[in-house]
């Protein structure tokens, strides 16, 4: 009987944690989705995972042959300076490249978009029928990363990750700009 009591004591906490996790599985899943980085011994998950997925999508997109104008270079240089100070702010600001290109896309087709949000921009680009599914997937992944950087208070981004995001945003804006022209 004494061994049975010891066994119940040993299993009570693990069983309670598993049971509570099961009951609140939707909330736990939502909470884990908000975690920007996690490290336990040799396991690490972070912003890197989302960024790597976006880079993989970018490989499937045909890169446009476009000469970068002085204004494009100065915007990119400004964003790189922002990344030196605040990588998170650089991610949020880099989205404006995509947003601006999408606005020009809407204006050039005669459908001016008065108020926008990132999801509306993606829907607009998808409805135009001018973009490949890979391009839309990349822009959607960049939108999701930008949303995390904008809205999650504990979201951490390194300078190199911000620079990688910036490169993807520049590439996406170029694809939108070329498609519009």
């Amino acid at each position: 009987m004494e061994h049975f009591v010891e066994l119940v004591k040993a299993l009570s906490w693990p069983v309670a944690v598993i049971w509570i996790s099961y009951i609140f599985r939707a909330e736990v899943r939502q909470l884990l989705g908000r975690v920007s980085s996690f490290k336990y011994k040799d396991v690490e998950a972070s912003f890197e995972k989302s960024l790597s997925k976006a880079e993989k999508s970018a490989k499937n997109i045909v890169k446009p042959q476009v000469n970068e104008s002085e204004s494009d270079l100065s915007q990119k240089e400004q964003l790189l300076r922002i990344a030196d100070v605040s990588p998170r702010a650089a991610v949020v600001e880099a989205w404006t490249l995509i947003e601006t290109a999408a606005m020009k896309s809407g204006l050039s087709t005669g459908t001016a978009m008065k108020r926008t949000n990132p999801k509306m921009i993606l829907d607009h680009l998808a409805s135009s029928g001018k973009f490949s599914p890979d391009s839309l997937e990349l822009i959607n992944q960049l939108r999701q990363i930008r949303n995390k950087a904008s809205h999650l208070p504990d979201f951490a981004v390194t300078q190199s990750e911000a620079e990688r995001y910036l490169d993807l945003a520049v590439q996406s804006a170029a694809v939108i700009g070329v498609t519009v022209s």
Side-chain angles (χ1 to χ4, degrees), residues 19-78:
W19 179 68
I20 290 172
S21 297
Y22 178 75
I23 289 174
F24 296 106
R25 66 185 172 274
E27 288 82 3
V28 169
R29 191 174 296 133
Q30 194 174 40
L31 179 65
L32 290 176
R34 294 189 64 175
V35 173
S36 61
S37 63
F38 171 78
K39 186 171 184 176
Y40 179 74
K41 294 185 181 179
D42 295 333
V43 179
E44 185 172 351
S46 67
F47 178 79
E48 175 72 27
K49 183 179 175 184
S50 299
L51 194 56
S52 294
K53 187 177 175 185
E55 288 174 330
K56 198 177 287 185
S57 294
K59 289 180 183 176
N60 298 330
I61 297 171
V62 177
K63 292 182 174 78
Q65 298 297 326
V66 178
N67 295 331
E68 290 185 341
S69 68
E70 267 188 48
S71 65
D72 290 342
L73 289 175
S74 70
Q75 261 189 324
K76 187 173 181 179
E77 288 171 5
Q78 287 174 351

Side-chain angles (χ1 to χ4, degrees), residues 81-100:
R81 283 190 213 126
I82 292 171
D84 287 340
V85 177
S86 174
R88 180 178 171 159
V91 168
V92 174
E93 281 298 312
W95 176 259
T96 61
L97 297 173
I98 296 169
E99 199 169 56
T100 302

Side-chain angles (χ1 to χ4, degrees), residues 5-177:
V5 171
E6 290 299 318
L7 181 64
V8 169
K9 281 183 183 179
L11 293 176
S12 63
W13 275 109
V15 169
V17 169
I18 291 170
W19 179 68
I20 290 172
S21 297
Y22 178 75
I23 289 174
F24 296 106
R25 66 185 172 274
E27 288 82 3
V28 169
R29 191 174 296 133
Q30 194 174 40
L31 179 65
L32 290 176
R34 294 189 64 175
V35 173
S36 61
S37 63
F38 171 78
K39 186 171 184 176
Y40 179 74
K41 294 185 181 179
D42 295 333
V43 179
E44 185 172 351
S46 67
F47 178 79
E48 175 72 27
K49 183 179 175 184
S50 299
L51 194 56
S52 294
K53 187 177 175 185
E55 288 174 330
K56 198 177 287 185
S57 294
K59 289 180 183 176
N60 298 330
I61 297 171
V62 177
K63 292 182 174 78
Q65 298 297 326
V66 178
N67 295 331
E68 290 185 341
S69 68
E70 267 188 48
S71 65
D72 290 342
L73 289 175
S74 70
Q75 261 189 324
K76 187 173 181 179
E77 288 171 5
Q78 287 174 351
L79 289 170
L80 288 171
R81 283 190 213 126
I82 292 171
D84 287 340
V85 177
S86 174
R88 180 178 171 159
V91 168
V92 174
E93 281 298 312
W95 176 259
T96 61
L97 297 173
I98 296 169
E99 199 169 56
T100 302
M103 291 297 289
K104 288 178 183 175
S105 166
L107 293 173
S108 70
T109 60
T111 57
M113 297 164 56
K114 295 176 182 148
R115 287 186 152 190
T116 63
N117 63 45
K119 179 72 172 131
M120 184 186 294
I121 288 171
L122 186 67
D123 293 342
H124 169 70
L125 295 175
S127 68
S128 74
K130 297 178 183 177
F131 301 94
S132 70
D134 290 330
S135 297
L136 294 172
E137 178 61 27
L138 172 61
I139 294 168
N140 186 44
Q141 290 168 348
L142 293 175
R143 177 188 68 84
Q144 291 172 350
I145 293 169
R146 176 249 174 223
N147 285 348
K148 289 178 184 176
S150 293
H151 302 295
L152 299 180
D154 55 349
F155 192 75
V157 182
T158 66
Q159 183 178 350
S160 66
E161 290 170 337
E163 290 171 2
R164 288 169 50 203
Y165 181 91
L166 173 60
D167 289 337
L168 291 171
V170 167
Q171 179 183 345
S172 297
V175 167
I176 293 169

